[in-house]
Amino acid sequence: MRTEPLLLTPGPLTTSLTVKQAMLRDWGSWDSDFNDITAAICEQLLQVAKAQETHVCVPLQGSGTFAVEATFATLLGQDSKTLVLMNGAYGQRAAKILERMGRDTVLLDMGDYLPPEPEEVARILQEDADITHVVLIHCETSSGILNPLEEIAKVVSEADCEFIIDSMSAFGALPIDARNLPFAALVSSANKCFEGVPGFGFAIIRKTLLQQCQGRCVSLSLDLYDQWQYMMKTGQWRFTPPTHVVAAFYQALQEYQQEGGQPARLARYQRNRDRLVAGMRRLGFDTLLKDHWLSPIIITFLSPDDPAFSFTSFYQAMKQRGVLIYPGKLTVVESFRLGCIGQLYDEEIDKVLSAVAESCQALGLSAQSTSSNTQPLTEAI
Ligand SMILES: *Cc1c(COP(=O)(O)O)cnc(C)c1O
């Protein structure tokens, strides 16, 4: 039997054995033991965001995108106008959801990897008084860039607009303090920095705002107001919850607290990133972004400019060595991505680096050939 591979992907990711073992029992979805777990999870997530006083946490079945769509559908009225700050695939997805919903949007498209400038956002908000909401992707997982959250939140608040954060791949690792960071909603999911398995997402929504959203959502299953009200009244999810996933998430949260919560998790991911980037650079690979913009979540590496390299063959070579990597998501250059999140420690990172070295050898790549023609890109920001 093969042992399971290391996932160097940003969710689903490598989980602990104990998180997987938490799925080995069945739960009644109406049973008070299960309802207690749901309540404890919501309470702890609010604590991580330091939002117990101001916000509520509403979980929703499905992957993270379902929670993003539900948040938009629940909060945005017919006459809303939303500025979407895009610099990658997840920003584009947010815009696509709003277009489907027929909501008015303004797009600031920074391309594949440039951060939105707070001054420019402020200017757009000043020039268009109809804009009611601003959407930002906290860590844009498609390039790995960590967007300037606090600076953008400030200009959004100064313009009296509501701020919606897709913090899917960052929440739990990057600090969030709702007492100083004004936001209407922050969306994340079970299978990223909290290291649970996939199956539900959640939105942390300002309570006074959600209270005004009854009957607004045109979708029944995505209505977070209804989900919230039903959960408050009964302790239960409205429709069948992913019980095993929820139980695994509860275990993952306990391990999160044992590790030391957000500061400790961030420190481990930063250490993973630094070790990974240093090791990859030694092997001749360049990062897309300069150090300042590298998130401790996922790193984009430029594909070697060598005819011997193809993502597919590199992927297969890595897989044979027990490591699953992630394709790039850039439109202009060939790249691939390595995640820093999940149950990864020094030992696993070193295993990944050995697999990269061996795979390069197996493909007949010369280490020096990897970094040509990449200078203009990394110099760009
Ligand atoms: C993972 C992720 C999502 C959600 O993706 P799903 O495939 O629906 O789970 C949304 N935004 C960002 C930034 C993500 O990293």
Side-chain angles (χ1 to χ4, degrees), residues 10-12 62-68 89-91 93 137-142 166-170 187 189 191-192 198 200 297-298 326 329 337:
S63 85
T65 305
F66 291 65
V68 173
Y90 292 101
R93 188 178 298 175
I137 314 299
H138 190 175
C139 170
E140 176 48 84
T141 322
S142 51
D166 172 349
S167 187
M168 203 69 63
S169 61
V187 188
S189 74
N191 60 289
K192 300 225 169 158
F200 74 93
I297 308 296
I298 187 167
Y326 221 41
K329 237 183 189 177
R337 292 174 293 169

Side-chain angles (χ1 to χ4, degrees), residues 217-237:
C217 186
V218 296
S219 157
L220 176 71
S221 55
L222 296 181
D223 191 336
L224 294 183
Y225 178 88
D226 276 1
Q227 178 89 324
W228 174 50
Q229 286 295 316
Y230 188 84
M231 225 169 233
M232 283 212 305
K233 284 193 197 99
T234 65
Q236 297 167 21
W237 299 53

Side-chain angles (χ1 to χ4, degrees), residues 85-273:
L85 306 177
M86 313 196 305
N87 52 354
Y90 292 101
Q92 286 165 9
R93 188 178 298 175
K96 201 166 167 182
I97 293 170
L98 292 168
E99 273 158 35
R100 273 288 176 100
M101 282 169 48
R103 293 291 177 267
D104 209 359
T105 56
V106 181
L107 309 178
L108 176 62
D109 190 351
M110 303 302 297
D112 270 352
Y113 54 83
L114 293 175
E117 301 280 353
E119 301 76 34
E120 191 172 3
V121 175
R123 188 184 52 74
I124 295 171
L125 295 179
Q126 205 164 34
E127 285 172 8
D128 188 345
D130 292 342
I131 296 174
T132 52
H133 293 76
V134 178
V135 173
L136 177 75
I137 314 299
H138 190 175
C139 170
E140 176 48 84
T141 322
S142 51
S143 65
I145 189 170
L146 194 55
N147 280 317
L149 179 74
E150 281 80 13
E151 293 87 335
I152 302 275
K154 188 160 173 283
V155 301
V156 172
S157 157
E158 280 164 5
D160 251 335
C161 291
E162 294 289 8
F163 193 35
I164 300 178
I165 310 162
D166 172 349
S167 187
M168 203 69 63
S169 61
F171 184 55
L174 274 298
I176 292 287
D177 188 340
R179 295 168 307 184
N180 317 316
L181 183 85
F183 66 87
L186 176 146
V187 188
S188 187
S189 74
N191 60 289
K192 300 225 169 158
C193 297
F194 289 103
E195 303 186 353
V197 301
F200 74 93
F202 54 88
I204 291 175
I205 307 177
R206 204 170 65 243
K207 190 174 174 181
T208 50
L209 185 68
L210 189 57
Q211 277 164 340
Q212 300 162 30
C213 295
Q214 182 173 14
R216 184 173 290 177
C217 186
V218 296
S219 157
L220 176 71
S221 55
L222 296 181
D223 191 336
L224 294 183
Y225 178 88
D226 276 1
Q227 178 89 324
W228 174 50
Q229 286 295 316
Y230 188 84
M231 225 169 233
M232 283 212 305
K233 284 193 197 99
T234 65
Q236 297 167 21
W237 299 53
R238 259 181 328 165
F239 310 127
T240 306
T243 44
H244 299 73
V245 175
V246 174
F249 190 74
Y250 183 63
Q251 174 63 29
L253 268 180
Q254 282 172 298
E255 293 174 17
Y256 178 78
Q257 305 298 0
Q258 277 157 17
E259 185 174 354
Q262 176 269 321
R265 186 129 312 174
L266 176 62
R268 177 160 63 84
Y269 291 170
Q270 283 171 334
R271 188 180 165 91
N272 287 348
R273 172 197 60 196

